[in-house]
Amino acid sequence: MTTLLEEQVQAKVDLPLLQNIHKAAALDEIYVPGHRTCAGCGPALAYRLTCKAAGQNSIFLGPTGCMYVANTSYLCVPWAVPWMHTQITDGGAVASGISAAYEARIRKGKYKGTFPNIYVFAGDGGSSDIGLQAASAMIYRDHDAIFVCYDNEQYANTGIQTSPQTPYGAWTTFTPPGPKIPEAKKLWPKDFARGMIALHPALQYVAAASISYPVDLMNKVRKCANVHGSALIHIQSICPKGWGIRSNQTLMVGKLAVETGMFHLFEYENREYTYQYQPKAFKPVTEYLKLQDRFAHLKPEHHAKIQEFVNQGLKRCGIKIPVEAV
Amino acid sequence: MKERYKKYIVEIPEEMSIPYAGIVESPKVNGEQPMMLTGGWRIYRPVVDHDKCVMCKSCVLACPDATVLLVDGGQKIGFNLDYCKGCGLCTWVCPVNAIDRVPEIDFEDGVPFQDALFLLPHVEALYAD
Amino acid sequence: MAEQYKDKKEEILKETVKMTGYEDAGFDWKSEKRVGATKFLTGLGAVAHALKMADIDVASSYPIRPYTGAMMMLSQMAARGELDVEFVHGEGEHGQLGIAHGASAAGARAFTGSSGVGVMYAMEVYSPISGGRCPVQMLIGNRTLDPPGDFGSEHTDALSTRDQCWIMGWAHTPQEAFDNTLMYYRIGEDPRVYLPQMNCQDGYFITHIPMKVVVPTQEKVDKFLPPLSFPDALDPLNPLGHGPQLFPGQGHVLEATRVNAMMGAFPVIDEVVQSFNSIFETNYSPFVDLYRCEDAEYVLFISGGHAYTAKFAINHMREKGMKIGLVRPRFIRPWATDVLADILSKFKAIGVVETNNAFGAARQAGILTLEVATTLYQIPNKPVLTAFMGGLGGEVIRLDEFYYMGDVLAKAAKEGKTERTAYWIGFHNI
């Protein structure tokens, strides 16, 4: 019996897409039990699904963030594949270096295996804020590596601080609501994935996925892996602690984010967008907001503002289903 | 030269030694990381009703900790209770409500919250002396 | 014009080499039997040639003067197919070091470099690289830190990173820069060490001034520098976790292991330099270069390129009967405390020529004064110690300024004291 790894070492093959949940569930577990992430952790689920789709011929990089600290406490590593910590600032750069090293070593006959899939598993801070420069540079140089942004919409490792992905109106420890600032966070978030597409016109594949749609997520990861060159996947990863929900609500909130249009599932391939979720009607954002403690202080006018923002976003995507604020 | 510079070398007692450069071995594929047992965090234990279960495997992909297992040659759903944190996502995701959340205190081998950590054999061994 | 000099190429080279005054500067070329092609190279050119012979796998670049030339030459070599290297254009020095970190962790021989403010921009990444025990080599062409956007050479940039557990030292000629490049890789890649290295040279004075460099044959280089073997490299065939969080109470143990790697490098450096001397028939001393120190009563302590000028000045002062010598450390990290204490204890006065500034430090001199003073602490009859703040902002230290230093030291040796802890060259001597 040959293992998947031995097969891949003989000749690099494209990872087949998964037809259904049974195929997905049967895959090897690369991100194994035994890590200190919170109960119901969205980013941990994102990690597990990404690893499961990635398979054994992979190298994972963990820029500093909750998925570094919580996963590797006390000399533990829960990954059955090589993993390395990088600074929060330079996940993309280290991935570039590893990619270049394998290019050179394989070309010079110094490495016998095939080119591994290199994944940078960066948080929203490590990709859209302090790590943006390195992420952009990796994609610009088109290194054969996959940049994964697990987006929990905050700096969670340090105890819930605002990041450029934190939505308008969200409570964080740096944006508490008060009489002077009733809406807590006043700024609108960055649109990371589309921003990277705009910035890198040669980027071949970009996807936005949610942990609440696991097979879709895993297939998007596999498409990233099959690209020769850089690929980017933006995964919305719900954080029960930071968002003020119960541990068993993670997937529900992730689903609602998609159903209200707060987060779009899309693929960008051959210079074109396709949207995976196009219902007859989107739900009003209030349904999403009222579930989460981080939006508990918001008044109806703030809900209306967010609804307006979401509607504009849907319109810009060509999804013409306006929703009125409730 | 070697002798002269010996005084600058920090002698590290055996019991304090750590892996070279903090580089550690990875766990095995489909394995576990027994250094970090998390079953003791659990307040609610997932219990599956095999009569109701339709084996859709939604719960397998819903667990952040990979503790929902396929047992009996892939015929049934089971749980790895050494690591299950009791988050309840499997219960939520189940389309036929086949997974219940039962308080740990109802089980004879249940993990009372405070002492949970020490009831797990691996951890107990760690703190033995 | 070119036609006119076509046949005289050899002659011109010989003449130019003579002009650079190696023999006058006391280079013991006669006892060195270097074999190889004589080239006329700048410090950067010398390093680029050495890197080609070291067969590096990955280079990461970002432009900043004065080190850039080395990367330009490497990119030319890559374009011409002379060197099979992955040449990655970093997005900044921080990214450059990140790229080198990743490449080295994946088992490639990696090279990077920077200057001045660029060296500081990468500050975060130095410790993770040495902590991960990745034998990256970094070329630093020294440059003054801002303000005011000064291009000149000053060692403050590299010396600011001295405590990040990188092997560090200065070359004082392009030939030494060539040799150091090979030696540093061999030291850093030794399984007893596995540490990154900073291969420093003065901006402009060394990086941009061409001198004679004997380039040895590839066979000799291959004999000296075996291919990198890095058993813990990131490799799906051998999965390992690099850099997890430790248990409480293990952080200091990890630091102690890094200390042991750095201090354990002493015997390795000794061994490597001796091996270099025997393969290339040179006569380097491992830690300290001594010039006219046999009967010296007072010495100048200089690291880097200004030592070259100082050697001329010392010759001139010797002709006048002054008992002056020169001590030049070849490594700043690890600091050869015992070797230096033995040597420095013989003199009556020591003048540290700083080409860096440590604002507000003890004695308000530079960083080297602190190191030398600490080294002298264990000596019973301590020599008089003073510092000369010269070469700041990239100023040239002229011969007459070295004569002034000689006079100050002669007086100090005679009186057993100095007026100042630091003399600012160009201020007191006018």
Side-chain angles (χ1 to χ4, degrees):
Chain A
M1 199 184 96
T2 54
T3 64
L4 176 70
L5 181 59
E6 280 161 359
E7 278 169 31
Q8 290 203 350
V9 165
Q10 282 154 20
K12 185 166 179 180
V13 286
D14 276 2
L15 297 169
L17 295 189
L18 304 160
Q19 304 307 325
N20 55 42
I21 198 164
H22 297 279
K23 291 259 166 61
L27 291 172
D28 282 331
E29 215 62 69
I30 305 294
Y31 179 70
V32 303
H35 43 83
R36 214 173 48 107
T37 59
C38 306
C41 173
L45 182 55
Y47 227 138
R48 178 179 164 231
L49 296 173
T50 306
C51 285
K52 218 167 159 60
Q56 285 185 55
N57 193 25
S58 311
I59 294 174
F60 275 83
L61 298 178
T64 308
C66 53
M67 285 301 102
Y68 162 53
V69 175
N71 276 316
T72 70
S73 310
Y74 313 129
L75 283 175
C76 298
V77 285
W79 302 276
V81 292
W83 169 89
M84 181 172 139
H85 170 230
T86 79
Q87 301 313 105
I88 188 169
T89 40
D90 70 350
V94 175
S96 307
I98 294 171
S99 167
Y102 273 98
E103 294 275 1
R105 289 180 71 206
I106 290 171
R107 195 171 61 228
K108 290 175 164 188
K110 292 178 181 176
Y111 181 69
K112 297 283 171 267
T114 50
F115 197 93
N117 292 316
I118 301 155
Y119 295 81
V120 188
F121 208 85
D124 44 308
S127 41
S128 69
D129 204 4
I130 193 170
L132 182 60
Q133 189 184 24
S136 167
M138 181 196 105
I139 291 167
Y140 153 70
R141 292 188 296 256
D142 205 21
H143 288 287
D144 201 348
I146 299 123
F147 200 96
V148 185
C149 166
Y150 73 89
D151 181 6
N152 54 11
E153 302 184 353
Q154 69 213 352
Y155 285 97
N157 178 42
T158 41
I160 326 299
Q161 286 85 26
T162 181
S163 88
Q165 298 291 105
T166 307
Y168 168 87
W171 163 92
T172 68
T173 53
F174 279 0
T175 57
K180 287 256 176 190
I181 313 170
E183 71 270 59
K185 183 173 171 176
K186 294 172 90 168
L187 305 172
W188 295 95
K190 284 187 187 176
D191 191 348
F192 175 60
R194 289 193 190 81
M196 293 303 257
I197 291 167
L199 197 55
H200 309 96
L203 183 48
Q204 297 172 62
Y205 182 81
V206 179
S210 165
I211 51 166
S212 301
Y213 299 82
V215 179
D216 175 69
L217 186 155
M218 289 167 79
N219 277 329
K220 284 171 175 172
V221 169
R222 290 200 150 190
K223 280 191 177 179
C224 283
N226 294 345
V227 167
H228 296 283
S230 287
L232 171 71
I233 180 165
H234 180 194
I235 306 175
Q236 196 187 32
S237 312
I238 288 79
C239 172
K241 186 189 170 206
W243 294 21
I245 55 170
R246 290 185 169 270
S247 66
N248 62 345
Q249 291 177 315
T250 305
L251 293 173
M252 188 205 321
V253 171
K255 205 150 172 279
L256 267 175
V258 174
E259 286 171 353
T260 54
M262 287 290 288
F263 187 79
H264 308 151
L265 300 180
F266 69 81
E267 272 185 308
Y268 171 83
E269 215 175 354
N270 305 322
R271 310 286 156 88
E272 272 180 28
Y273 285 93
T274 49
Y275 290 90
Q276 279 74 51
Y277 186 78
Q278 298 206 44
K280 291 215 173 81
F282 276 89
K283 291 181 179 172
V285 291
T286 302
E287 276 192 39
Y288 172 76
L289 301 175
K290 73 182 182 195
L291 265 179
Q292 304 171 42
D293 285 355
R294 63 172 174 163
F295 296 119
H297 56 278
L298 292 187
K299 307 243 165 21
E301 65 262 32
H302 303 131
H303 283 218
K305 240 177 153 179
I306 296 173
Q307 185 69 65
E308 177 58 24
F309 183 73
V310 167
N311 288 354
Q312 278 177 5
L314 291 170
K315 202 170 142 192
R316 206 174 56 228
C317 302
I319 306 173
K320 284 171 192 151
I321 304 163
V323 184
E324 291 303 317
V326 175
Chain B
M1 181 60 65
K2 221 172 192 168
E3 283 306 305
R4 259 197 111 174
Y5 283 91
K6 235 180 181 168
K7 63 177 178 247
Y8 300 116
I9 301 295
V10 188
E11 281 183 30
I12 300 167
E14 188 74 32
E15 65 271 19
M16 282 174 76
S17 67
I18 55 163
Y20 169 79
I23 297 173
V24 294
E25 224 172 279
S26 304
K28 294 277 168 290
V29 175
N30 297 322
E32 293 172 353
Q33 174 53 272
M35 300 264 286
M36 184 55 71
L37 288 167
T38 49
W41 301 11
R42 196 171 55 244
I43 300 170
Y44 293 102
R45 180 183 295 192
V47 177
V48 62
D49 182 345
H50 294 294
D51 294 337
K52 277 194 195 170
C53 174
V54 293
M55 285 303 286
C56 70
K57 298 176 189 170
S58 301
C59 51
V60 176
L61 292 186
C63 179
D65 294 82
T67 58
V68 184
L69 310 170
L70 296 172
V71 293
D72 283 0
Q75 298 304 303
K76 278 184 177 173
I77 296 294
F79 299 97
N80 184 346
L81 292 176
D82 285 351
Y83 298 93
C84 169
K85 294 166 184 165
C87 67
L89 282 176
C90 49
T91 307
W92 182 83
V93 84
C94 183
V96 293
N97 292 326
I99 304 173
D100 203 1
R101 296 180 82 191
V102 184
E104 274 295 319
I105 208 156
D106 290 358
F107 292 91
E108 231 169 77
D109 64 339
V111 271
F113 190 62
Q114 292 296 319
D115 308 324
L117 201 64
F118 293 92
L119 288 177
L120 292 160
H122 294 89
V123 180
E124 213 163 6
L126 277 178
Y127 289 84
D129 36 55
Chain C
M1 193 78 172
E3 278 300 305
Q4 187 179 343
Y5 292 106
K6 207 176 161 191
D7 303 331
K8 294 181 183 167
K9 207 175 155 191
E10 274 297 303
E11 219 171 289
I12 291 167
L13 185 69
K14 230 183 218 170
E15 195 58 33
T16 327
V17 165
K18 201 178 157 196
M19 273 165 62
T20 60
Y22 269 81
E23 281 79 8
D24 293 341
F27 278 82
D28 195 3
W29 290 107
K30 278 145 206 152
S31 73
E32 284 191 358
K33 298 171 206 144
R34 288 176 184 267
V35 182
T38 303
K39 294 193 186 232
F40 199 54
L41 296 173
T42 60
L44 299 178
V47 170
H49 271 76
L51 290 170
K52 186 172 104 182
M53 304 191 100
D55 188 28
I56 56 165
D57 299 318
V58 176
S60 63
S61 68
Y62 188 79
I64 182 169
R65 278 184 278 183
Y67 106 99
T68 326
M71 287 298 178
M72 299 196 310
M73 278 174 256
L74 276 184
S75 61
Q76 284 164 8
M77 288 169 184
R80 286 197 294 256
E82 293 168 11
L83 171 62
D84 191 357
V85 64
E86 277 293 307
F87 193 87
V88 186
H89 308 134
E91 65 274 21
E93 290 78 6
H94 193 287
Q96 253 186 301
L97 268 287
I99 292 160
H101 187 191
S104 187
R109 184 171 282 164
F111 172 78
T112 188
S114 194
S115 290
V117 286
V119 175
M120 308 306 285
Y121 181 47
M123 197 71 181
E124 182 195 14
V125 201
Y126 295 125
S127 186
I129 293 177
S130 64
R133 310 292 288 278
C134 294
V136 173
Q137 186 170 132
M138 180 174 182
L139 165 67
I140 297 184
N142 297 116
R143 173 173 169 175
T144 313
L145 298 177
D146 288 355
D150 195 322
F151 289 119
S153 165
E154 191 183 304
H155 295 186
T156 318
D157 54 354
L159 282 174
S160 299
T161 70
R162 70 196 179 281
D163 298 333
Q164 305 300 321
C165 201
W166 286 54
I167 307 269
M168 172 188 269
W170 264 261
H172 83 316
T173 59
Q175 178 74 62
E176 196 183 10
F178 180 96
D179 300 343
N180 277 357
T181 306
L182 300 176
M183 278 190 245
Y184 281 22
Y185 266 129
R186 169 95 180 263
I187 296 162
E189 291 174 0
D190 191 292
R192 292 164 287 177
V193 181
Y194 278 139
L195 283 179
Q197 320 101 42
M198 278 180 190
N199 183 3
C200 308
Q201 50 180 273
D202 290 66
Y204 307 100
F205 300 132
I206 305 296
T207 58
H208 280 64
I209 296 180
M211 280 193 183
K212 184 174 102 172
V213 176
V214 181
V215 178
T217 57
Q218 186 67 47
E219 287 74 40
K220 280 193 176 183
V221 174
D222 291 344
K223 195 178 159 197
F224 175 72
L225 186 65
L228 168 64
S229 134
F230 198 53
D232 292 328
L234 289 167
D235 177 358
L237 297 172
N238 176 28
L240 295 169
H242 290 238
Q245 301 260 298
L246 301 170
F247 279 95
Q250 285 188 329
H252 62 303
V253 185
L254 192 65
E255 295 215 358
T257 59
R258 236 193 304 176
V259 167
N260 291 352
M262 177 57 91
M263 300 316 266
F266 279 113
V268 177
I269 291 171
D270 210 28
E271 216 176 281
V272 168
V273 174
Q274 275 170 29
S275 157
F276 190 92
N277 283 342
S278 76
I279 291 173
F280 299 99
E281 295 179 75
T282 52
N283 46 19
Y284 280 106
S285 82
F287 298 104
V288 189
D289 174 21
L290 297 179
Y291 185 64
R292 304 197 82 163
C293 279
E294 304 78 36
D295 61 337
E297 284 180 7
Y298 38 94
V299 289
L300 292 170
F301 187 93
I302 311 180
S303 165
H306 292 291
Y308 189 73
T309 328
K311 285 181 176 177
F312 285 88
I314 284 169
N315 285 345
H316 304 158
M317 286 188 268
R318 280 276 175 177
E319 279 164 24
K320 288 190 206 155
M322 293 167 74
K323 291 198 165 179
I324 189 164
L326 180 137
V327 178
R328 184 178 67 87
R330 296 216 329 112
F331 288 89
I332 298 298
R333 288 288 180 273
W335 182 267
T337 315
D338 295 62
V339 174
L340 283 168
D342 284 357
I343 293 165
L344 296 178
S345 63
K346 291 176 196 148
F347 308 118
K348 288 183 184 160
I350 298 159
V352 180
V353 182
E354 299 279 13
T355 36
N356 68 86
N357 197 352
F359 293 97
R363 300 175 77 95
Q364 182 41 64
I367 292 159
L368 292 183
T369 305
L370 304 176
E371 302 277 351
V372 172
T374 314
T375 308
L376 295 177
Y377 188 77
Q378 67 195 65
I379 301 170
N381 299 313
K382 293 175 187 54
V384 181
L385 176 66
T386 192
F388 299 108
M389 305 301 285
L392 298 182
E395 290 300 306
V396 176
I397 307 180
R398 301 190 310 262
L399 285 174
D400 63 327
E401 288 167 341
F402 280 114
Y403 303 155
Y404 165 74
M405 295 181 208
D407 292 342
V408 171
L409 284 179
K411 197 172 163 224
K414 201 173 156 195
E415 293 174 2
K417 62 177 170 58
T418 56
E419 282 164 30
R420 304 181 65 94
T421 52
Y423 293 82
W424 280 66
I425 298 305
F427 294 74
H428 312 295
N429 56 328
I430 291 168

